[in-house]
Amino acid sequence: MNSRRSIRLALVALLTLVAAALAPGAITGAGAAATAYTDPLETIGASERAGYGLRWNAVTPETTANLDSKLNNVGVTEVLESANHPARSCNAAERGTLPTAPTASASFCWDTGDATTPDWHPQSITSSGDADDDGAWGTNRLILAGWSYVGTGTGDARYNTVRVAFIDYNNPAAPKYRWVLLVTPTSGGENFARVAAHAGGMAWYGDKLFVTGQQGHTNAIYVFSMQHILQASVNSYAIGKVDGGYSAWGYQYVMPAIGSYSYDAGACTGNVNTAVPCVGSLSLDRSSVPDSLVTTEYLNNGTKGRLLRYNFGSDYLLNSSSASGSFVPAVQGYRSGVGNMQGVLAHNNVWYVAHASASSGVHGHLWGQTTTRSVATCGGTYQCWAEHPESLTYWQSTGQVWSLTEWENLRTVFAVPLSTLPS
């Protein structure tokens, strides 16, 4: 995650020494028991999982309706028809960040401004392949990519603002996209404010879009609806109500949250794997019964990050199990020996996790894990996945796994066949 980029850079020298001293896949963290990426998953028991539940916090229908009445409510098709950023073929440096084994079956890169900006960083990906098992949303096939704003750092007032690229993928030879800003309603729907989230993971299920929150806070996941995409009426740097209407930081569209899932046990910590886990990334698993949302946390090398599963229920929301209808239990959990997990995907009881190296110019790993084995995409150093990879998503109707890379001048969006991943 980019919010931890400074940590990664500080660890470059240390990890280089460790890599030389240890066998491939074995990483030891300071103060932690030695663990290896080749270790199978460790099951988390029901008593521990009980503390990892989520709680649904809905925006009232009245608030949503009130904000809808202030602005023009548009659909996905209208957003795509207004796409104003053409994607492009990747240059040699960008192609160098793609996986070397397996090789990408599809790829494209951002327009020049987005490819090079240091202010915004791509973090998450999902698609209409998540939204509906036929792979399309109506007549459209599209990819969504979540970017977080880093600006001048954590002191920047808009740090962790989130925008989503709606990428028209109806013609894979010429993708194009339009930005949509994520916001949250305020004042009973009279106004809106930015959503503060890292957006390290994103999943589109039915009409709902799930986006991860930020480390050290109580909100685990924000939820948005494709039925509520609003068109800003004033073009200015402001976010929210201004003279003459509503502004979205210069973006044409906003998506207001319809609710969020908070950690039932309080704010997550993001630094130890025995306290409340921060949702670092997430994805949809359509191979489970019922369909489910799987999550991982980002912890440094040597600490076993947790993988959790939450079942879906009605109305494309997570399944609650309490009389109040708001508590969502973690129905499955594991600890993984893979450090720096940036992305997670589960399919047919195999958990795929993407590791990101702290070193510039070094590719990451992609591991397939179960409770009996942990296998990488290639042998040797295992460094054959993408360079600085982020989250994962599976487009079921095409059999492709999509991901993206993060650092400026090295940003790609790519796919590999699921059948080529280790299992």
Side-chain angles (χ1 to χ4, degrees), residues 271-286:
N271 54 15
V272 294
N273 69 352
T274 54
V276 179
C278 294
V279 177
S281 190
L282 55 78
S283 67
L284 173 67
D285 183 2
R286 283 187 175 274

Side-chain angles (χ1 to χ4, degrees), residues 226-306:
M226 295 297 165
Q227 309 301 329
H228 303 283
I229 304 175
L230 309 181
Q231 186 170 3
S233 54
V234 175
N235 184 5
S236 78
Y237 184 76
I239 298 176
K241 192 172 184 179
V242 295
D243 289 343
Y246 293 82
S247 171
W249 201 1
Y251 297 103
Q252 186 168 345
Y253 301 108
V254 298
M255 285 185 75
I258 62 165
S260 67
Y261 290 96
S262 58
Y263 302 104
D264 188 61
C268 69
T269 62
N271 54 15
V272 294
N273 69 352
T274 54
V276 179
C278 294
V279 177
S281 190
L282 55 78
S283 67
L284 173 67
D285 183 2
R286 283 187 175 274
S287 71
S288 62
V289 181
D291 295 344
S292 57
L293 193 73
V294 295
T295 72
T296 189
E297 62 181 332
Y298 182 98
L299 294 172
N300 290 333
N301 289 316
T303 304
K304 294 190 174 183
R306 287 159 291 187

Side-chain angles (χ1 to χ4, degrees), residues 108-237:
F108 61 86
C109 283
W110 306 96
D111 77 3
T112 302
D114 294 325
T116 60
T117 178
D119 294 332
W120 292 88
H121 285 255
Q123 299 293 319
S124 49
I125 190 167
T126 186
S127 75
S128 55
D130 274 346
D132 197 318
D133 56 12
D134 70 359
W137 182 251
T139 60
N140 291 301
R141 294 180 179 270
L142 64 153
I143 298 168
L144 305 185
W147 290 49
S148 65
Y149 179 73
V150 297
T152 57
T154 55
D156 194 310
R158 292 189 176 179
Y159 186 78
N160 273 349
T161 297
V162 179
R163 64 181 186 180
V164 176
F166 277 58
I167 305 167
D168 183 340
Y169 203 65
N170 288 306
N171 178 8
K176 53 186 177 179
Y177 58 98
R178 163 71 78 169
W179 291 112
V180 176
L181 189 71
L182 300 188
V183 299
T184 185
T186 62
S187 304
E190 291 294 316
N191 204 349
F192 59 78
R194 73 187 186 96
V195 164
H198 187 63
M202 189 161 61
W204 180 5
Y205 186 57
D207 67 331
K208 305 299 193 297
L209 181 66
F210 297 77
V211 179
T212 60
Q214 55 186 325
Q215 183 172 301
H217 290 252
T218 56
N219 278 328
I221 302 168
Y222 289 91
V223 183
F224 306 83
S225 171
M226 295 297 165
Q227 309 301 329
H228 303 283
I229 304 175
L230 309 181
Q231 186 170 3
S233 54
V234 175
N235 184 5
S236 78
Y237 184 76

